[in-house]
Amino acid sequence: MKKIIYLLLFSIVFVSCKSKSNIATSKRASEKKTTKLAENIVDYATDYLGTKYKYGGTTNKGLDCSGLVYISYKEYEVLLPRSSYDMSKYGKQIKEKDTQIGDLIFFKTNGKNVINHVGLVTEIDGDDIKFIHSSTKKGVIISSMKEAYYKNTYVQTNRAL
């Protein structure tokens, strides 16, 4: 009788362990969806290339930097704070070397000690990070971290997804 109980208990534990393995597989599938989600967000943002800069703007008539990032994420039901400073507190701060497409990249470009500019990473090209953002002079463009201006004003990267 004891052997039968032990065998039954062993069977239950074995089946339970097997089902946990399926959960891990689901997590990997979820990570792939996150990558696809990031690509979709970036694709949406690039539709605004060439749009002029407008402080507080969130439409194709004009965008500021955080407006571009905000509407791009919002299109896929991810609600970020509206300002670049508040966005810098959202998600998980990551090392620059761990940057991926869809991450948020932050700068201090106003000569003060406060984050005031945000971009959305569009491409990792070797050791170069490219990002889309709304520039006050050129509107929505893609820039490179190899440009001295952005290299010198870079502060942090956050993963929001």
Side-chain angles (χ1 to χ4, degrees):
M1 182 72 168
K2 284 184 180 180
K3 284 185 179 183
I4 293 173
I5 293 173
Y6 287 128
L7 286 173
L8 285 172
L9 287 173
F10 177 77
S11 297
I12 291 169
V13 170
F14 181 74
V15 170
S16 296
C17 291
K18 187 175 181 184
S19 67
K20 287 181 182 179
S21 174
N22 290 337
I23 291 169
T25 303
S26 298
K27 185 175 180 188
R28 277 188 236 115
S30 174
E31 290 170 357
K32 289 181 183 179
K33 287 181 186 175
T34 301
T35 301
K36 183 66 174 165
L37 176 59
E39 290 172 3
N40 288 340
I41 291 169
V42 168
D43 286 345
Y44 184 83
T46 59
D47 288 343
Y48 289 91
L49 281 168
T51 302
K52 71 177 185 171
Y53 178 87
K54 181 179 180 185
Y55 180 78
T58 57
T59 70
N60 60 358
K61 293 182 180 179
L63 295 160
D64 64 11
C65 63
S66 59
L68 172 66
V69 173
Y70 176 82
I71 66 168
S72 298
Y73 270 79
K74 185 179 177 188
E75 178 69 15
Y76 292 91
E77 300 177 1
V78 179
L79 296 178
L80 297 178
R82 177 57 182 86
S83 73
S84 54
Y85 176 76
D86 288 336
M87 282 180 192
S88 72
K89 298 175 185 177
Y90 185 89
K92 181 182 178 186
Q93 191 170 337
I94 59 170
K95 295 178 182 178
E96 186 177 356
K97 68 181 180 74
D98 295 329
T99 301
Q100 295 178 0
I101 291 171
D103 287 343
L104 307 178
I105 191 163
F106 297 95
F107 305 89
K108 294 178 184 175
T109 63
N110 59 359
K112 296 181 183 176
N113 203 20
V114 176
I115 288 173
N116 69 317
H117 191 65
V118 62
L120 178 60
V121 175
T122 59
E123 182 182 351
I124 310 297
D125 184 14
D127 63 347
D128 188 18
I129 299 168
K130 295 185 181 174
F131 59 97
I132 189 167
H133 61 116
S134 187
S135 155
T136 54
K137 294 181 182 176
K138 298 178 182 176
V140 179
I141 57 173
I142 294 178
S143 296
S144 166
M145 281 293 288
K146 286 198 172 200
E147 296 173 45
Y149 179 76
Y150 294 110
K151 190 174 192 174
N152 293 330
T153 58
Y154 169 77
V155 178
Q156 71 189 53
T157 303
N158 287 20
R159 177 133 326 121
L161 298 174

